[in-house]
Amino acid sequence: MEVALLALVVRFDIRDEESAVRFDELTERAVEQIQAKEPGTLLYATHKVVGEPLARVFYEVYADDAAFQAHETAEHVTAFHAAKNPLLVSHRVEFLSPAATKGLSV
C-alpha cells in the first residue's frame, strides 16, 4: 500500500529571549500531546537554529492530508497556535514534495 506523505517545514522568529523561553515551554507541551494523540503524525521534529537564539524550525511529516488536517484542528494544536502567536515576529511555512529520501516510505 502506497502512502501519500505530506511534509512541511516551519520557521519561527521569536520576539525576545523571554518569549523564546515561553515558546519552548509551549512546544514541549504540544509535542507531548502530538505524540500521545496523533497516530497520523509520523515525524514532528523541533529544532533550535545554531547561531540564531531566537529562531526555531519544525520539520513535520504526516501520513496523508487527512492526518495533517487532524493535526491542525486538534485542540492541543489550536491552543499552541493561539498561545505562540503573540511571542513571534514572524513565521514561514513551506510545504514539501518528497524526492530522493532515506528513512521515509514515499
Side-chain angles (χ1 to χ4, degrees), residues 9-92:
V9 174
V10 186
R11 179 184 168 112
F12 301 96
D13 292 300
I14 305 168
R15 283 193 191 286
D16 53 39
E17 290 178 11
E18 184 178 322
S19 296
V21 169
R22 180 75 180 124
F23 183 90
D24 293 341
E25 293 169 350
L26 292 169
T27 298
E28 187 173 326
R29 283 198 304 275
V31 171
E32 288 172 358
Q33 294 298 304
I34 291 164
Q35 289 173 336
K37 298 178 179 178
E38 296 185 25
T41 301
L42 305 178
L43 177 66
Y44 198 90
T46 67
H47 305 275
K48 294 181 178 181
V49 178
V50 175
E52 294 187 55
L54 299 180
R56 303 293 184 269
V57 173
F58 291 8
Y59 176 62
E60 308 171 26
V61 180
Y62 301 92
D64 53 27
D65 188 59
F68 173 66
Q69 294 307 322
H71 167 79
E72 284 295 293
T73 58
E75 184 178 332
H76 53 274
V77 174
T78 58
F80 170 77
H81 287 309
K84 67 135 174 79
N85 285 341
L87 307 174
L88 302 179
V89 173
S90 66
H91 76 282
R92 175 181 172 161

